Structures are given as structure tokens and as C-alpha cells.
Amino acid sequence: MNSNIFNWRRVCSAFLLLAACVSAHAATATNKPEVKAGRERLSLDRGWLFHLGDVVQPPIVGHEESYSNAKAGNAPGAAGTEFDDSDWRRLDLPHDWAVEGPFDPKANISQGYRPRGIGWYRRYLKVDPADRGRHFELQFDAIATHATVWVNGNVVNRNWSGYNTSNIDITPYLNYGDSLNTISIRADAEAMEGWWYEGAGMYRHAWLVKRAPLHVATDGVYAVPRAGKGKQWTLPVEVTVNNSGKQASDVTVEVTLFDPAGKQVGRQTAKASIGVLKDAVVKLPFSVNDPALWSIAKTNLYRVATRVIQDGKAQDEVSLHTGFRSIRFDAQQGFFLNGEHLKLQGVCIHQDHAGVGVAIPDSVWEYRLRRLKELGVNAIRFSHNAPAAEVLDMVDRMGFVVMDENRNFNPSPDYMKQLEWMVKRDRHHPGIVLWSVFNEEPVQGSEVGYEMVRRMAAVVKSLDDTRPVTAAMNGGFFSDLNVSHAVDVVGANYQVPDYDRYHKAFPNKPFTSSEDTSAFMTRGEFKTIKEKGIIASYDDLSDAALWGNTHRDAWEAIAARPYVAGGFVWTGFDYRGEPTPNDWPAVSSVFGIMDLNGFPKNAYYIHQVQWIKDRPLIHIAPHWNWSGSEGKDIRVMVMANVEKVQLLLNGKALGEQQVDPFRMNFFNVPYAPGKLEAIGYRGGKEVARTLVETTGAAVALELVPDRAQLAGDGRDAMPITVRALDAQGRAVPLADANVTFAVTGGGRSIGHGNGDPTSHEDEKGATRRLFNGLAQLIVQTNWDSKQAIDVVATAPGLRAAKISIPVKAVAAEPFVASADAPTTFVRSWRIAPVGDTRPDPNQKLAGFDMNTWGWGSPPLWAGAGAKYHLYRSSFTPRKNLADGNGLIRFGGIRGKAEVWVDGVLVGKKDGYAPAPLDLSLPAGTGKREINVIVEAEPGQGSGIEGHVTIEPLVK
């Protein structure tokens, strides 16, 4: 063919294609539908596909493959759109794959000997064409540990921490209508950020947020009250509004303030102009007289409702809660909340629980916080990372103050973003009273540490200057230049001998214990057997870490010093990993005041009687089942918050003691079976009584649910205490029966535990051994359930226990429906030069030639002109279609057509009129090539008008 003629035809074809595009664009612009207003926050927890292990792609060696790999939307393998995930496991979030796996003595001790590795998640998303023009954001609350996210084969996010949220604008990448969108996530849990169990995978919630183009940015409302003179307060609200639309817009921002009873107490409006793809910050100050204050006892929360209004119509609305309260750290007298002194009775806690790992349901978090409240805790340090947003909401409602702690100590840009995210997300919470930038860093006593903290503290202050910045230091306080010079409140880990020395040297510096105690206890054990990893529960100095103190010593050092704002016991609960002072077979810590289930140890009662003052309390340890020790002295510990205690055995008085509020009280009692009682007195009158008694052998199991009913929303979960009873219905403290669970009806088991730090039992299996009389089963409702959950527990030689937990039908959290992808969309096509001679469908195109043929995606439309058009693509059918059980479906072809697969003609369309075409897919595996020749009707346009899909053949 003459090259000039060839080039002229190419020019003509390009012109016709351009004219068609312009025409289509004009039609679209003329009939442009109005973009939906409003906001939808939809749960994305349902319908994920999971693969444990990496999905490794072969090296890219060819030029065509190299060229394609570098292009948008062409991520290979599991990151791409055409990957066959049909044999992947289906699951819902939250999900921690590490807790599902076996223990391995060769795995990392600090991670609890749990292999972690790499995992992949994929999900499909169908987007209604009516939502075109809206702003779409994926929100992954946390993924352990390093995560890469692709949408439709495009890398959209890389995150370098397992503790912060990824908020990802996916609007540019979306397909609308029947063409599904593919979300792919590679979670690399081989990376570690901590020296404790961190779990693996998508262990917090996921969300899809749909908003109007004019909307409030994520975490875009700043609302932190400030105390003024007398009872006058200000609430300086700042709203960040984003415009993702295609034209600059004028808006009105309206903020309304509601008091705890829901009564409107203020409204402000302000106007703003927002450029295309720009943000605007709108300031709306409030004055509030004599607000109801937030406190530990009265958690008054105000609602701040923000609307973005355009032309009188609300485009977006978002609400948050805040609280009016004042805080002050005084260098001489400690911490003050609303002008009243409050000693911080705190604990440090990690975020894992028995049976579920770090994938803790919200309701189990509520259970954990309730257990802390019952203990007398008023302060929590979430160690060493920002907690889930839902947990901070609970903290505000339940009444705790919080040290909110940054995970990665690094002021470089990637890591500074993590700190900024934490402060912006959390600053409206009244419970937060301290920002912590690190925990125990080797450079803390140096100029380097000082300079790093100085920069991080400056960023915190730029986002919230109402709270002090601290850092949890375990040394370096007395060097010439160190971190303590860059923070507002000095946090000290385990520095009891230096408390007074530091205060004397720096009398004007506020000071708190940020971490203390580190004492060891195994729940229910009262004899230390080091070779078995068992540690007694008497809180002896020999059973505390060398760097730490006993529970009693640590609190006495804090309580006796007014200038120490308070303390944070390491830890509130046991946690997986860091089994100090033990190693294999021990797989979890024994630092906790409670075990992994939230069952109390002796430390629970020690702190409870120290921290709770408004009611009399008394407790005895140990149990009174000491068969074989008759006549031998048993060391008895009485913990009480009264004035005097008396001990009786089988009704006979053994002695009285004045209560020591710090050391507790001890008696040596010759063992005899029966009833050991302790009586507490105030002013000579009995005010409290407790007992332990010798039980018989276990004869029956008992199941004790934590609550009376569950919500049938598929998320609500409940711990059930499992224990063994004797013939008189008394709990047997040493029972160790192996219990089998059967859960039926409107829910399922999601895990169990028993608090034994050496247990290697499958936390997701059907059985669990009682450990010192106790175990815990966690059940969760099914989606859209209203049927009761029936639980049966059996054990050899014991009467079975049965309970039925009512399930209340409730509206589900708004969610994104699951979408299966049995269909492969053939999207990327090469377009051959047009001509009037029928082209060879099997002609070769050089792998290095990226320009002779054009590129396109259906609809592939050509205007009137040339007679023949050749389109070529490739696809890899799913495994279930390899046997010829597949269908090639063309949504529509205008013109006559031939369809060739791997060089073989598989079907024809004989008419010119537009029509769909279905053809059988020949059997075969691997990558397939498809060529389509379209013959245009004279004087008419032609092409592939609809989607091209590879589908299962419906018989």
C-alpha cells in the first residue's frame, strides 16, 4: 500500500474518532445530570476475599510487558483487575490472620511466637452511575503492618504503620454501572513496629464514604473548647471544605451546637469561595456561657453539626462530639480537671484480647473498658499507638482521661503525617489530656532526641495548643540537653528512685509517671514455679521486673508525692507476646492486672481497694482448696479499703489488723477445709464481708453471659464466662476440664481463651481447657439476625451447660453490598489502522511497536468511512472456565463481525444492525488473545458498543 495513502487514512480515522468524541462530550455536557448531594458513610467490612501468603509475579522481561507495566491501571497479578481470586477465602472484617495460625517456637518471641508474614485482600465494588460526580473515599481504619492499596490496577496508597487510618480518594479511578471496581490490598506483616503482639491484616473497620463534590474534608472540623473568664467559654470552630467538582463554587458553612440534652445552644454561618480541587478553611467562633462540663463522673458531650450549603441546598453534613472541660498539670500539685485535683489512676493497655487477637469487636472493647471502670481506673495510656476511633468515643462516654500516644518517633515527612493524622482525628475528644510523641527512645537523653521532639511538638501545637505534649522517658533526664527540655509534662517510666531528685532539680516542671510497676502474676497461682513459667499472685518484690516495682510499691511512690500527677500501671490486661520473664512455651505476658480475657488477678483487687473510696471493699486471696496441706500455713492476703479487718476460719476468729492501704494485710493460717471469712470495719461497725471456701469436685459446667441480649447487626459480640461448679453450685477454682463448644442459631463463635500464658490451644477451634477454673467464649451475631444464639458447653464427666442468648433485630449499619466477580471485563484493546481490505486477524504486531496500532476501551466507536476495523485484546479466564464452560459476551456490536480466539474463528455476526453477541469460549488456560473484525455498513459508523465480558456459561 502507498505510504501516503496509508498515512492519510490514519489521519482521517483519527479525525472521525475525534469528531465522535467531541459530539459525545457535547451531548454529555448538554444533558449533564445533577450530582447527588449528601453524605453516605457505608461499612465496607463485608465481602472480602483473602489469601495468606504473597502472590509473586514472574519477572517482566518483554518490551510489550515492560511498556504495559508502566502504565496506569496495569498493575500485574493480585494487584490488578483480571486476577483470578475465585479460590480465595471469603471473610468479613475486622480480621487478624496471625491469631488464626499455629504457634511456632522459631517465630518472634515478642510477637507471641505467632508467624505473621504477608497476606492479600481483594474486594469488588459496584458503583451506581447516578453517583457519578460524587467524591468517593476509602477509609481503612488500620492494616497491620505495611500496606499497599490498588484500585482498578492503580496504586492509590502506601502506608507505613499498622496503627493509623488510610483515607484514600478513589474518585478518579472508578468505573460506573456493570463494570466492577477492584480493590486490592497487600498487607506486609513481616514488618514490625513493636515488641509486642501486633496481629496481621485488616484488623479494624473499613468504610466507603460518598460525598457531594462540595464537602467537609475528612477530620476537617476543629472544635476544641477553651475556658474564658468565669463561666464564659469559647468554641473556635474551623471547618475545612473541599471542592472536588469541576467549577469554583460559593458556599455557606453552617455550624450548630447542641447541648447534652439535644437542645440547640448556638448557630453560626460563614461564606466561602472554593476553587476547583481546592480546600478552604472557614472559621466560626462560638461563645458559650456556663456550659455543662465534661468530667469523669459526668460525661456531658456537646454535638457540633456542620453543613455545607450551596444555593440554599445542603450538600454535606457531618457531626462530632466535644466536651467543655479545663485541664492543668501543676508542677507542685499534679493534675486538675475543671479546677479539681484528680490523681491519675491509670493503666497502659495494648489492643489484643483472647480469641480474637487485635480484631476486637467494638462491644468487646466496651467490655474491656467497663472492666477498667469497675477496677477504679480513671486514666488510660493506649500503648504505644493511637486506638480505634470507636474506642475514643467510648472513653468520652464512659469517663476516662487519656494519654494519646504516637507510634513512630521520627519527624521525617512520612512519619510526621502519622502524628498529624492522630492529632487531627482525635483533638475534639474531651477525654484526651496528653499527647505523647514516643515511648522509651535511646536518643531521649541527647541533643538529637531533643531536636526531634522539638519538631514533633511544634507540629502538635500547630494543630492543637490546648493540651500539653509529653514523652515517655526511661532515662536521660539529667543530661544538659534532652527530651524533657522539649516537652510540657515530663513522663517517666520506672524512675521511682529519681522522682524526688528530678523534682528537686526542676521544681517548675510538671511530672507524671507514664509507665510503672511491671510486676508479674499468673492468674489463680500462688506458688512461683519458674521452670513452668508460673508466678505467684502475692505481689512480692521477687516477682517484679528488675527495672520495675510491685503494684503496691509503685502506687505508694506515686500516691505519696503530690507533684506526681499520677501513674499508668504496666499493664491493665495481659497481652500476647513479650512473655517476660519467661520464654517458650510461654507465649503471652503476665504483666496484667487482668488476664487476656479480663479475668481479675490479685493485682485487680489491690488497685481496686486503693482507687475506689466511695464504697467499702474487701477481698481474700488465695482460694481455699489446699488438699494435702492440712495443718500447714497458708499465706493469706486481705485487700480492703476499710479501717480494720478480721479473719475467721470456720467461724473461729484468727485475728484483727489495722488496714494498710498501701501494703495490704497478711495472715499465716494453718489450713483446714471449710470457710475462710474476712470482715471489714469502719468506726467499729461491720461494713464489708467476703469469704472463700473449700469446694467439692466439679460436677457441672456453667455459662455466664456478660449481657442479657445481643443486637442482630452482625457486629455485636459478647464474652461468656465458662466455669465448673461443684454439687453445691460453687465455682471450683482449680478446675481444668477440657470444654467443647457448640454454637448455633443467630450467631457464631469468634474465639476463646483461658488466661494461661503457656496455652498453645487453637483460639478458633471447638475446645478450650479451663485454666484455674475459668475460660471465656466470645460469640457474635450473624448479619441481619433475630434468632437467639444457643450455646452448649460439654466436658467429660461434667453436666453440660446450655444458654440461649436473645438477639434483638436491629437495623444494620449502612453497608456496601458484597459484589462477586464471576465476570472478567476485557477493557484494554489495541485498534489497528482502518482500511477497505479485510485485515488478517492473526497478523503479528511487534512487541516494541506501541504506536502503529491505537489504544482504547469499549465503547470502541468509529464514524462512517473505512469498511474494516480490527480490534485486539487479551484476557486470562478464571480457572472455572478453563474447560470450555465459558461465554464471550459482547454487549453490542454495530456492523458485521468475526471473533477469533488464539488464532481460531469462534463465531460471526452476520447483520449490520447493532446487536449483542454471545459466543462459547474454547477450552484453554492462561492468557488468551481475542481479535474482532468489524465490517461497517456503507456510509454508517461501526464498532464495539458495549462491554466485552468473559462469563460462566449459564445452562
Side-chain angles (χ1 to χ4, degrees), residues 459-699:
V459 166
V460 172
K461 295 293 188 182
S462 72
L463 298 170
D464 174 40
D465 62 358
T466 69
R467 299 172 176 88
V469 174
T470 190
M473 302 174 65
N474 64 343
F477 301 91
F478 300 103
S479 63
D480 291 339
L481 189 61
N482 63 71
V483 164
S484 71
H485 298 128
V487 296
D488 304 306
V489 176
V490 173
N493 290 10
Y494 310 109
Q495 304 303 304
V496 171
D498 282 335
Y499 282 2
D500 293 336
R501 179 188 171 198
Y502 185 85
H503 183 60
K504 183 178 180 180
F506 304 96
N508 297 319
K509 194 77 170 183
F511 183 94
T512 189
S513 167
S514 43
E515 185 173 316
D516 51 76
T517 310
S518 272
F520 311 129
M521 284 187 190
T522 306
R523 179 185 59 75
E525 297 289 351
F526 295 91
K527 293 181 180 179
T528 295
I529 308 174
K530 292 185 178 180
E531 60 272 20
K532 292 186 178 181
I534 295 173
I535 301 175
S537 299
Y538 288 111
D539 194 40
D540 291 328
L541 185 60
S542 59
D543 294 328
L546 295 176
W547 61 85
N549 303 91
T550 65
H551 288 274
R552 295 168 296 150
D553 288 341
W555 181 248
E556 184 173 10
I558 293 165
R561 292 168 170 81
Y563 66 83
V564 180
F568 294 87
V569 176
W570 190 263
T571 51
F573 300 89
D574 283 345
Y575 53 94
R576 294 171 180 80
E578 203 174 12
T580 309
N582 304 311
D583 54 22
W584 184 268
V587 294
S588 66
S589 81
V590 287
F591 291 112
I593 293 173
M594 291 174 273
D595 69 11
L596 261 172
N597 311 275
F599 295 145
K601 304 182 189 179
N602 247 19
Y604 183 95
Y605 302 105
I606 292 172
H607 287 292
Q608 190 180 55
V609 301
Q610 291 172 334
W611 290 347
I612 293 179
K613 304 301 181 186
D614 62 354
R615 64 185 186 275
L617 297 168
I618 191 166
H619 185 80
I620 303 175
H623 57 78
W624 208 239
N625 279 30
W626 296 97
S627 178
S629 295
E630 286 77 6
K632 296 180 182 178
D633 278 352
I634 302 297
R635 188 183 181 198
V636 175
M637 186 179 189
V638 179
M639 296 146 279
N641 63 357
V642 296
E643 295 172 356
K644 185 170 64 176
V645 294
Q646 181 185 33
L647 202 64
L648 299 88
L649 178 59
N650 296 326
K652 180 181 179 181
L654 300 179
E656 295 182 352
Q657 292 182 18
Q658 293 295 314
V659 167
D660 188 328
F662 293 118
R663 314 308 306 160
M664 306 295 114
N665 295 82
F666 290 88
F667 299 81
N668 286 321
V669 179
Y671 176 67
K675 183 185 297 182
L676 182 67
E677 296 178 275
I679 305 173
Y681 297 90
R682 281 181 182 166
K685 296 182 179 180
E686 178 182 333
V687 293
R689 179 186 290 252
T690 191
L691 63 86
V692 290
E693 58 184 323
T694 309
T695 70
V699 299

Side-chain angles (χ1 to χ4, degrees), residues 92-152:
D92 299 325
L93 307 181
H95 175 236
D96 173 5
W97 80 68
V99 76
E100 300 173 341
F103 296 93
D104 183 349
K106 296 179 181 178
N108 185 281
I109 181 175
S110 295
Q111 298 287 343
Y113 296 102
R114 293 278 199 180
R116 298 172 75 218
I118 293 170
W120 283 82
Y121 297 86
R122 285 169 59 90
R123 195 193 194 281
Y124 297 97
L125 185 67
K126 188 174 183 177
V127 180
D128 190 332
D131 282 332
R132 193 183 301 273
R134 301 181 82 186
H135 181 274
F136 284 74
E137 184 172 275
L138 290 178
Q139 297 179 351
F140 299 121
D141 285 351
I143 303 173
T145 295
H146 293 171
T148 306
V149 181
W150 292 262
V151 171
N152 291 335

Side-chain angles (χ1 to χ4, degrees), residues 191-504:
M192 294 195 307
E193 292 180 273
W195 49 98
W196 58 88
Y197 177 83
E198 298 184 274
M202 300 180 70
Y203 71 92
R204 289 184 186 167
H205 295 302
W207 308 90
L208 176 68
V209 181
K210 300 193 288 186
R211 294 175 279 210
L214 292 164
H215 60 269
V216 178
T218 300
D219 300 328
V221 178
Y222 171 83
V224 182
R226 297 171 184 263
K229 292 183 179 181
K231 295 184 178 181
Q232 194 66 32
W233 289 70
T234 60
L235 179 61
V237 177
E238 296 181 6
V239 179
T240 301
V241 182
N242 176 260
N243 181 6
S244 64
K246 297 179 176 62
Q247 60 186 20
S249 299
D250 295 328
V251 299
T252 298
V253 178
E254 175 193 88
V255 176
T256 308
L257 182 65
F258 298 90
D259 71 11
K263 179 183 177 182
Q264 180 180 318
V265 293
R267 175 177 290 173
Q268 297 283 350
T269 61
K271 296 185 181 299
S273 296
I274 311 169
V276 176
L277 299 177
K278 299 288 186 181
D279 290 334
V281 177
V282 183
K283 298 183 178 181
L284 303 96
F286 283 77
S287 293
V288 183
N289 183 51
D290 195 18
L293 299 184
W294 182 94
S295 68
I296 298 294
K298 295 182 178 180
T299 56
N300 292 306
L301 294 171
Y302 282 68
R303 184 166 68 92
V304 180
T306 302
R307 293 201 305 164
V308 178
I309 302 168
Q310 183 187 36
D311 298 330
K313 182 177 181 181
Q315 297 297 311
D316 191 23
E317 182 171 354
V318 65
S319 292
L320 59 77
H321 286 91
T322 191
F324 291 80
R325 88 301 177 256
S326 66
I327 60 172
R328 177 167 61 91
F329 283 85
D330 185 88
Q332 306 302 322
Q333 297 177 293
F335 177 68
F336 290 80
L337 179 63
N338 298 326
E340 297 182 2
H341 182 263
L342 180 70
K343 199 75 169 183
L344 300 179
Q345 300 169 174
V347 294
C348 303
I349 59 173
H350 283 314
Q351 60 174 10
D352 66 319
H353 190 87
V356 295
V358 295
I360 302 178
D362 298 346
S363 50
V364 175
W365 263 116
E366 189 275 336
Y367 161 83
R368 288 162 64 86
L369 294 178
R370 184 157 31 88
R371 299 294 289 130
L372 293 176
K373 199 73 175 176
E374 293 163 357
L375 166 60
V377 168
N378 62 23
I380 301 173
R381 177 184 177 216
F382 291 101
S383 314
H384 303 284
N385 52 268
E390 295 84 1
V391 177
L392 290 178
D393 290 338
M394 295 177 204
V395 162
D396 287 345
R397 293 195 304 268
M398 298 174 73
F400 296 92
V401 296
V402 167
M403 180 190 296
D404 205 0
E405 189 156 81
N406 173 60
R407 171 74 295 269
N408 290 299
F409 180 46
N410 190 334
S412 65
D414 279 344
Y415 294 99
M416 199 72 94
K417 290 177 183 176
Q418 297 172 16
L419 177 62
E420 292 171 352
W421 160 81
M422 181 183 79
V423 177
K424 289 180 70 175
R425 186 197 69 166
D426 297 348
R427 58 192 174 181
H428 67 91
H429 289 283
I432 295 173
V433 298
L434 280 167
W435 302 114
S436 174
V437 295
F438 75 58
N439 175 72
E440 297 179 359
E441 289 291 337
V443 296
Q444 61 200 357
S446 70
E447 181 181 4
V448 170
Y450 166 80
E451 290 292 349
M452 292 172 70
V453 169
R454 189 166 69 91
R455 285 159 173 77
M456 297 177 78
V459 166
V460 172
K461 295 293 188 182
S462 72
L463 298 170
D464 174 40
D465 62 358
T466 69
R467 299 172 176 88
V469 174
T470 190
M473 302 174 65
N474 64 343
F477 301 91
F478 300 103
S479 63
D480 291 339
L481 189 61
N482 63 71
V483 164
S484 71
H485 298 128
V487 296
D488 304 306
V489 176
V490 173
N493 290 10
Y494 310 109
Q495 304 303 304
V496 171
D498 282 335
Y499 282 2
D500 293 336
R501 179 188 171 198
Y502 185 85
H503 183 60
K504 183 178 180 180

